[in-house]
Amino acid sequence: MRRPRIPVLALAADAVAVLVFAAIGRASHEEAGSVVGLLGTAAPFLVGTVAAWATPWVRAHPVGFRAGGLVLAGTAVLGLLLRAAFTGRLPVSFAIVATVSLAVFLLGWRGIAALTSHLSRRRTSVR
């Protein structure tokens, strides 16, 4: 894969992770499955994701765990603050579950990418 495509794919993976997070949350609360509702739930967190991606540290090494931590921090903190601003409340239990869930998704795909990259390098060095 050519290098310039990696940041685009990483940003797409982060956006998909946030959308999956929102979809699972909506499904667990038996909320209607509309696309508009999903986007409304995901929007504050997507804003946080975009804000994190605006930093040079994320763009420099988007697949790394440091970038993942920054994306997680931006997504969770800004997303929760925006959500609280719009809804007028922020239950601590929701903040904890949202942060842990986002960590699993945003760091999880990076872990899988690191593992497959490592295995691929190992396989080619054995030959």
Side-chain angles (χ1 to χ4, degrees), residues 16-92:
V16 168
V18 171
L19 288 169
V20 168
F21 155 75
I24 290 172
R26 289 180 62 79
S28 70
H29 293 286
E30 299 178 5
E31 294 178 345
S34 73
V35 173
V36 173
L38 173 64
L39 292 176
T41 299
F45 299 97
L46 289 171
V47 168
T49 303
V50 170
W53 269 87
T55 66
W57 303 288
V58 173
R59 290 190 318 271
H61 301 287
V63 182
F65 284 109
R66 257 189 214 158
L70 288 169
V71 171
L72 171 60
T75 301
V77 171
L78 215 61
L80 290 170
L81 288 173
L82 288 170
R83 186 177 188 280
F86 285 113
T87 64
R89 62 187 183 91
L90 180 62
V92 173

Side-chain angles (χ1 to χ4, degrees), residues 89-101:
R89 62 187 183 91
L90 180 62
V92 173
S93 59
F94 173 76
I96 293 169
V97 170
T99 302
V100 170
S101 299

